[in-house]
Each structure stands twice: as C-alpha cells, then as structure tokens.
Amino acid sequence: MRMFRLAILAFFGSLAAFAVSGAVAQEQTEPSTDMPATSTFGRWTTIVDALDTGQDSRKTCAASTAFVDGSGNAGTLTLSISTGDALPPDAYPAIMFTVANKDLPTGKKIAATFGDPGVKVSATVYSNDAVAGRPSWTVDNQAKTSLALLRAMRQVIALDVVFGKQAVASIPMDGFTKAYRNLGTSCGFPTKDVAP
C-alpha cells in the first residue's frame, strides 16, 4: 500500500505542475476502464483508482494541489485514503506535503502549525523518503487533529504552513471543499463534518 501511495504522489507531482501552469477550470475526465478517474476543482485535482484482484476490491482516493514556496520551490499538498483503510469519522485521509526545499526540518516529531491569522491548528509532522526527488512530510494522522486541519483547510483562503519555526508556504485552498466532497463520494465516506 505504501508503494502505491508513493506512486500516486509521484503522479500528483506531474498533475500539480500542470495545475501551477494555469489549469484552474473545473473539468471531468472520463477515463478508460484501466485508467484512474481524475477531476479538477479550482486548484485541486482528485484521482480515484480502483483495484480489483478478483478476491479483493478497493479504491484509493487522493486530492492534490500544487504550490510554490517563498523561495520559488515547487511543492504539493496531497490527501490520500483507501477503502481498505479506516474511513471518516474513525480516521481521515493522510495529509502529505512535498516541497523541493532541503532546508526544512526533518525527523519524526516536528511541531507544525497550519491555518491563517484567524484559524490555527497545531500538529506533528514527520519526514519521509523523497517523492519524485522532493523531500516529503506527513501529518501524524490522529483523527481529532486531522479533522481540525481539514476543517481549517475549508475555512481559510490560503493555508499557512510552518514546520518548527520555519515557514513552508501559504497554499491557496480554492476548490478544496469540492475536491474533499469528491473524495467522500468516490470512496464512500461522509464529508459533512469537514465540508457541509
């Protein structure tokens, strides 16, 4: 499952570059039967991939947006969940950041702050192996913290991200609510607690 998520994230790196270049209109793409379904909502792109082994059938649903940090480094913010995982309200999508900035703190328990001047969420992140050559960090997926962070993403115009005392980026949230609802519809979980 970890390798599949890394492949999804690498794919989102490509989609994110496309999004940064100006693809902001909502669009639905009808895939062939063996290709994942993609949709675009504002600055967010969703991908739904179904896997049927004959004995097991599951979907992996992810949403991603691209950003550029204050130093001009490209990055992505990605949410990912599978129908094989615990689903909301028991657990929420994994939240991962990749950014081509090797000066950001690394380790297992990095204090992080998300939000804007009116909304602040504190969480812990940990660094992972690089995704498509970019360092990556995952938010410690505790249901209460993840719910608060997802709600903050719905409320703010741009999500200010700080790891330790170092600003990462201010990431526009245009289209987040529709993208999150799409994940819920596609992977079969309620979204009213995040995106009513």
Side-chain angles (χ1 to χ4, degrees):
M1 181 56 107
R2 179 174 167 77
M3 291 306 294
F4 180 77
R5 284 190 179 160
L6 291 176
I8 289 266
L9 293 172
F11 176 73
F12 270 122
S14 303
L15 287 177
F18 178 71
V20 167
S21 69
V24 293
Q26 181 175 347
E27 160 183 329
Q28 177 75 28
T29 304
E30 290 298 324
S32 67
T33 56
D34 59 342
M35 293 296 296
T38 62
S39 301
T40 301
F41 304 95
R43 298 177 64 111
W44 285 80
T45 299
T46 62
I47 183 170
V48 178
D49 192 19
L51 174 66
D52 189 348
T53 65
Q55 295 179 359
D56 185 22
S57 178
R58 76 182 92 172
K59 289 183 184 176
T60 297
C61 302
S64 187
T65 189
F67 62 89
V68 177
D69 71 11
S71 300
N73 299 305
T76 57
L77 164 55
T78 303
L79 312 176
S80 176
I81 195 163
S82 170
T83 56
D85 298 335
L87 297 172
D90 298 318
Y92 290 88
I95 303 168
M96 178 184 272
F97 297 85
T98 60
V99 61
N101 183 344
K102 295 183 180 178
D103 295 329
L104 291 173
T106 58
K108 295 193 183 233
K109 293 190 178 197
I110 304 162
T113 307
F114 305 94
D116 69 6
V119 177
K120 294 282 185 206
V121 176
S122 296
T124 302
V125 298
Y126 56 90
S127 56
N128 304 303
D129 296 332
V131 175
R134 295 182 181 152
S136 64
W137 294 262
T138 302
V139 176
D140 187 15
N141 199 357
Q142 301 297 318
K144 184 177 177 182
T145 304
S146 294
L147 176 59
L149 178 51
L150 292 165
R151 285 178 173 168
M153 291 167 70
R154 177 183 51 84
Q155 294 171 345
V156 302
I157 293 171
L159 184 72
D160 297 332
V161 179
V162 177
F163 292 168
K165 294 184 179 182
Q166 191 169 353
V168 176
S170 185
I171 306 169
M173 290 290 111
D174 176 45
F176 168 77
T177 300
K178 288 182 180 179
Y180 189 80
R181 287 178 186 148
N182 181 265
L183 292 187
T185 299
S186 299
C187 265
F189 62 85
T191 61
K192 288 184 179 180
D193 54 354
V194 171

